[in-house]
Amino acid sequence: MGKAIDYYLATNSVWAYLGHDRVVALAKQHGADLAVKPINLGMVFPASGGQPLPQRAPQRQAYRLVEMARWAEFLGKPIHVQPKHFPVDGNPAALWILAAAEVGTAQALALFGAIGRALWEQERDISDPATLTAAATACGLDATALAARARHADMSARYKALTDEAIGRGVFGAPTYVLDGELFWGQDRLDFLARKLAK
């Protein structure tokens, strides 16, 4: 039985976007399963002392842009550090990912990757159903079915339950990867996750 990594992500997180392809490849390399768990940072931050981006000090906001560009260049990933549609409500996209997860983990992972590219590479509005439809269709998913499923009350309940679960486990930001109860916060901690997987 392979190892399982709980993958807490936020659909509007640039760091989740930058780390996504690598955590998927890392899990595959080590035969680990990824449990896709979208969370609502709007609930996580107040519970953990975090601040939404617009409320952070100017120095922190400025350095974030430097780090985004630095990491994107290092990883060879296209990025707009200040995309047209950001900040953006990531909750609709999260519900679509949960709906895709019912089809399969691979489908949910693919959809999150497409949503991240739409926001950070293509400067599209990921709260717009048209953007989500295009992302789902590009992944070979039935966008009409996903949209209908995402509207169900149990999807919203699942999203809140995952957010509550994350808060209860000490998660305070995204992405956070949890392996054997140990938290790894941020795509810049993937090397440490890799070391634990290799043990």
Side-chain angles (χ1 to χ4, degrees):
M1 186 175 181
K3 296 180 179 180
I5 302 167
D6 288 327
Y7 179 17
Y8 294 101
L9 58 90
T11 54
N12 53 7
S13 165
V14 67
W15 309 114
Y17 157 71
L18 288 171
H20 181 67
D21 292 341
R22 287 181 298 140
V23 74
V24 171
L26 187 62
K28 183 177 180 181
Q29 176 187 348
H30 291 276
D33 295 321
L34 281 171
V36 181
K37 298 188 172 186
I39 58 174
N40 183 350
L41 290 181
M43 294 175 61
V44 171
F45 284 158
S48 61
Q51 291 283 354
L53 181 61
Q55 297 176 25
R56 295 175 196 168
Q59 301 94 320
R60 290 179 176 271
Q61 294 193 42
Y63 187 72
R64 172 181 169 275
L65 298 178
V66 172
E67 278 282 90
M68 288 166 62
R70 183 180 288 156
W71 271 102
E73 181 181 9
F74 175 69
L75 297 171
K77 290 184 73 71
I79 197 170
H80 292 276
V81 296
Q82 293 181 297
K84 286 185 290 187
H85 300 285
F86 188 86
V88 63
D89 180 5
N91 296 327
L95 297 176
W96 279 58
I97 290 170
L98 286 174
E102 294 185 339
V103 181
T105 298
Q107 288 81 356
L109 291 168
L111 181 57
F112 176 60
I115 288 168
R117 290 189 296 275
L119 173 56
W120 298 106
E121 296 181 19
Q122 302 158 12
E123 295 192 282
R124 301 193 65 187
D125 181 358
I126 63 166
S127 69
D128 185 345
T131 299
L132 297 175
T133 295
T137 301
C139 295
L141 292 163
D142 183 340
T144 301
L146 288 187
R149 188 71 186 98
R151 287 192 293 268
H152 280 224
D154 63 325
M155 285 288 97
S156 294
R158 170 73 173 150
Y159 185 36
K160 184 179 185 303
L162 287 173
T163 301
D164 290 342
E165 174 188 295
I167 293 169
R169 298 182 78 179
V171 171
F172 54 88
T176 295
Y177 320 102
V178 182
L179 176 61
D180 295 336
E182 184 175 350
L183 275 65
F184 300 83
W185 171 54
Q187 58 87 32
D188 52 346
R189 296 299 183 267
L190 282 171
D191 285 349
F192 287 102
L193 178 61
R195 291 185 184 97
K196 187 172 182 67
L197 283 167
K199 286 182 180 178

